[in-house]
């Protein structure tokens, strides 16, 4: 039997797709690359913005013809949109056989068997922790991977659907995570990113707030691990300890994803973010003080209900001032059932688009300037392999996450090397591999 699986949305959703695949592989399924060849077609879905849901509806809508030609193909919708829309999915997409929420996909094999016998299987229970029995060989990259360290979210930011579709925040036991890290490094992984909606509160659900520091220490000790990252950090839960661990543990990269969302105190309060713009600025300054060379990344929402031009300008000022490495900008999208959905969505779409463009414009100038400043510097690169655009060159990432391209032997894939930067664009750095024995670090 063959399975096609595609994940929309965040990195955690992509990892959940690999987890589902681990279960299916044990039951004899092999992965394939298109729905046409598959006996089972699964989409792991996202609800974070309306646009994300529209993409699922349009992708799965097209499978109507496949189902007509081959009625025995099982089509399943998993994940956040499944949890949110449940049985309504069968009304909009009558050719779907299975709807499986965010906490039932470890039962995927059994649910698919049920759906083969009778169509319209709905499994969106809310109880219980997800068993993380992952086969680490199922992963997207040979040298880098992710580990889910916690699920759900208790923060209830006013605009956000995640707490409703992913449930209460639950941290995974530390032993389990450390064991998964070791299995990954045993299988050749050199870089691990720890994932959670709010990793700074790791441990809170088992009575040990602040356990992220110990977790970083223990995962960093996995043999052969060269790099460790963690996302996402909520500013309200960031501590000095975590920043010091970033500085003191050589594997932990000086790269912090800590979304401000807005630069206006009125908007931040309405978003229920529980910090002010001044507190964010202080925290960014403290982080840069403790962790030399820190690259800061963040998410922003434009056009939140009632956001005035002046309030937007406060966000623009923050983006200009803090010189992020990456700014992900989203147009506000009302999500049914959230607190903000009760407020009028009163910023016109064209104005949201304009504000979005303004922030991206500022950020792109920052990237151009900062990357130009890297010229002449030597950076440590974890080599991914030949560049897909130009196979004569290698591609990899700096510790601060910029893409770096350079000429070198394909056998360097998976190694840490030093590259001297010679040119740059807003998105990439290009340079020369440093020769001699010292060039290849490990
Ligand atoms: N837990 C993470 C990420 C959550 S979703 C965090 O707290 O940072 C990723 C991003 O999507 C958020 O940071 C936010 O910027 C954006 N987002 C969430 N809900 C949204 C909505 N309703 N409309 C627009 N953007 C949204
Ligand atoms: Fe959503 Fe806020 Fe939780 Fe992030 S912290 S997932 S934005 S509720
Ligand atoms: Fe992720 Fe989207 Fe769900 S961002 S947690 S897949 S709503």
């Amino acid at each position: 039997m063959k399975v096609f699986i595609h994940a929309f949305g965040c990195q955690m959703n992509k990892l959940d797709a690999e987890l589902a695949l681990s279960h299916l592989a044990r039951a004899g399924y092999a992965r394939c690359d298109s729905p046409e060849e598959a006996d089972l077609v699964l989409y792991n879905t996202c609800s974070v913005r309306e646009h994300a849901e529209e993409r699922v509806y349009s992708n799965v809508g097209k499978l109507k013809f496949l189902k007509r030609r081959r009625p025995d193909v099982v089509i399943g919708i998993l994940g956040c949109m499944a949890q949110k829309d449940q049985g309504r999915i069968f009304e909009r997409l009558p050719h779907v056989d299975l709807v499986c929420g965010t906490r039932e996909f470890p039962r995927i094999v059994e649910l698919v068997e049920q759906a083969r016998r009778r169509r319209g299987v709905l499994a969106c229970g809310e109880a219980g922790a997800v068993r993380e029995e992952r086969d680490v060989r199922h992963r997207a990259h040979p040298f880098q991977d992710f580990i889910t360290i916690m699920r759900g979210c208790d923060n209830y930011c006013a605009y956000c659907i995640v707490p409703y579709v992913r449930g209460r925040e639950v941290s995974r036991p530390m032993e389990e995570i450390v064991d998964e890290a070791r299995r990954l490094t045993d299988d050749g992984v050199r870089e691990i990113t720890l994932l959670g909606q709010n990793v700074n509160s790791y441990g809170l659900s088992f009575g040990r707030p602040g356990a992220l520091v110990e977790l970083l220490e223990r995962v960093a000790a996995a043999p052969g691990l060269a790099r460790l990252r963690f996302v996402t950090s909520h500013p309200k839960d960031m501590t000095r300890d975590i920043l010091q661990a970033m500085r003191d543990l050589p594997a932990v990269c000086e790269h912090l994803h800590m979304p401000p969302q807005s630069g206006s105190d009125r908007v931040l309060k309405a978003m229920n973010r529980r910090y002010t713009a001044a507190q964010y600025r202080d925290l960014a300054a403290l982080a840069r003080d403790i962790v030399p060379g820190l690259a800061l990344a963040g998410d922003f929402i434009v056009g939140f209900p009632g956001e005035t031009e002046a309030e937007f300008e406060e966000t623009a000022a923050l983006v200009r001032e803090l010189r992020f490495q990456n700014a992900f900008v989203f147009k506000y999208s009302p999500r049914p059932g959230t607190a903000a959905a009760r407020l009028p969505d009163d910023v016109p779409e064209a104005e949201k688009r304009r504000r979005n463009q303004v922030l991206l414009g500022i950020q792109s100038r920052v990237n151009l300037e900062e990357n130009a400043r890297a010229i002449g510097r030597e950076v440590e690169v974890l080599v991914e392999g030949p560049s897909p655009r130009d196979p004569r060159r290698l591609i990899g990432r700096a510790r601060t996450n910029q893409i770096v391209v350079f000429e070198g032997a394909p056998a360097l894939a998976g190694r840490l090397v030093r590259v001297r930067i010679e040119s740059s664009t807003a998105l990439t750095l290009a340079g020369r591999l440093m020769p001699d024995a010292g060039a290849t670090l490990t």
Side-chain angles (χ1 to χ4, degrees):
M1 294 287 232
K2 285 188 182 161
V3 52
F4 170 82
I5 187 163
H6 181 77
F8 295 92
C10 62
Q11 208 44 254
M12 200 179 284
N13 238 28
K14 306 211 155 92
L15 201 51
D16 281 352
E18 300 299 325
L19 193 54
L21 208 58
S22 295
H23 290 283
L24 289 161
R26 261 178 239 133
Y29 280 89
R31 186 178 208 160
C32 67
D33 297 327
S34 79
E36 279 67 35
E37 318 161 51
D39 306 288
L40 171 62
V41 178
L42 297 174
Y43 285 95
N44 201 17
T45 59
C46 175
S47 278
V48 80
R49 283 166 290 275
E50 195 182 356
H51 177 68
E53 297 188 337
E54 281 160 7
R55 281 175 60 206
V56 177
Y57 278 115
S58 112
N59 267 269
V60 181
K62 288 183 204 144
L63 295 179
K64 187 166 68 184
F65 306 103
L66 178 79
K67 184 75 180 174
R68 207 174 287 161
R69 261 187 293 123
R70 295 171 44 210
D72 52 325
V73 177
V74 170
I75 300 177
I77 304 290
L78 319 181
C80 296
M81 202 185 88
Q83 193 73 39
K84 171 172 160 285
D85 291 349
Q86 305 202 354
R88 288 194 300 270
I89 292 178
F90 296 124
E91 290 159 28
R92 267 188 80 177
L93 299 166
H95 53 291
V96 164
D97 304 294
L98 165 67
V99 170
C100 168
T102 49
R103 268 151 291 175
E104 300 231 46
F105 69 87
R107 286 172 55 211
I108 189 72
V109 174
E110 170 199 335
L111 293 170
V112 167
E113 287 317 309
Q114 276 180 29
R116 278 199 200 290
R117 291 195 298 273
R118 66 170 177 92
R119 307 192 45 209
V121 173
L122 180 65
C124 292
E126 306 208 339
V130 171
R131 279 173 297 129
E132 316 262 357
E133 293 155 347
R134 185 168 159 231
D135 180 340
V136 297
R137 288 169 304 177
H138 294 287
R139 58 174 192 263
H141 300 283
F143 312 114
Q144 293 146 263
D145 208 16
F146 300 87
I147 301 180
T148 298
I149 66 166
M150 60 210 292
R151 288 182 176 272
C153 182
D154 286 349
N155 283 319
Y156 292 93
C157 301
Y159 48 81
C160 185
I161 194 79
V162 171
Y164 302 90
V165 293
R166 291 257 167 182
R168 296 302 304 267
E169 180 180 297
V170 182
S171 298
R172 273 178 81 186
M174 199 176 296
E175 292 306 324
E176 220 180 273
I177 298 167
V178 172
D179 177 66
E180 191 165 318
R182 283 172 180 271
R183 282 187 287 129
L184 284 167
T185 52
D186 283 351
D187 202 46
V189 167
R190 313 267 351 250
E191 174 173 319
I192 289 177
T193 303
L194 305 178
L195 292 181
Q197 299 298 344
N198 177 19
V199 290
N200 297 175
S201 66
Y202 173 75
L204 196 64
S205 72
F206 54 73
R208 288 196 47 213
L212 180 65
V213 171
E214 187 186 333
L215 182 68
L216 289 173
E217 287 165 0
R218 293 193 54 194
V219 174
L225 186 72
R227 287 179 174 184
L228 181 57
R229 303 179 196 273
F230 55 94
V231 283
T232 308
S233 289
H234 194 303
K236 78 173 166 52
D237 296 314
M238 185 44 104
T239 61
R240 197 177 270 271
D241 287 26
I242 297 173
L243 297 168
Q244 285 164 347
M246 287 181 85
R247 176 195 61 198
D248 296 339
L249 295 167
V252 178
C253 294
E254 43 282 7
H255 177 228
L256 184 64
H257 189 112
M258 186 168 72
Q261 309 295 358
S262 169
S264 147
D265 289 346
R266 208 271 313 159
V267 174
L268 285 170
K269 189 157 199 307
M271 286 177 164
N272 190 29
R273 290 291 288 181
R274 290 173 273 177
Y275 52 85
T276 62
Q279 285 168 330
Y280 188 90
R281 283 184 166 87
D282 288 349
L283 187 57
L286 178 72
R288 284 181 163 151
D289 196 37
I290 295 178
V291 188
L294 181 79
L296 196 59
D299 303 352
F300 296 87
I301 296 177
V302 294
F304 185 80
E307 185 186 68
T308 63
E309 178 63 30
E311 288 165 345
F312 167 69
E313 279 305 324
E314 293 183 86
T315 303
L318 188 84
V319 178
R320 230 174 263 124
E321 178 191 325
L322 288 184
R323 303 186 77 78
F324 292 90
Q325 155 94 53
N326 258 311
F328 302 94
V329 187
F330 304 105
K331 291 178 287 176
Y332 171 71
S333 166
R335 303 286 63 217
T338 60
R342 292 197 293 270
L343 306 169
D345 178 20
D346 54 2
V347 178
E349 178 59 29
E351 181 57 18
K352 286 182 186 167
R353 209 177 310 131
R354 188 192 69 83
R355 293 180 187 180
N356 190 335
Q357 291 306 326
V358 171
L359 291 192
L360 292 178
I362 297 171
Q363 184 56 34
S364 141
R365 273 194 303 281
V366 170
N367 285 135
L368 209 55
E369 289 165 13
E370 291 296 320
N371 285 352
R373 284 219 256 165
I375 294 173
R377 284 192 206 147
E378 256 182 47
V379 297
E380 179 203 283
V381 177
L382 177 62
V383 184
E384 286 171 21
S387 156
R389 287 223 196 117
D390 177 1
R392 287 166 308 172
R393 299 210 285 175
L394 296 176
I395 191 167
R397 280 189 189 259
R399 287 173 65 90
T400 42
N401 219 28
Q402 294 102 323
I403 294 170
V404 184
V405 290
F406 56 97
E407 276 175 24
L412 289 174
R415 311 280 288 269
L416 287 179
V417 298
R418 300 200 73 86
V419 173
R420 184 186 294 279
I421 303 307
E422 295 179 332
S423 66
S424 67
T425 67
L427 294 177
T428 53
L429 304 175
R432 184 188 300 275
L433 184 65
M434 296 318 299
D436 85 46
T440 303
L441 298 179
T442 9

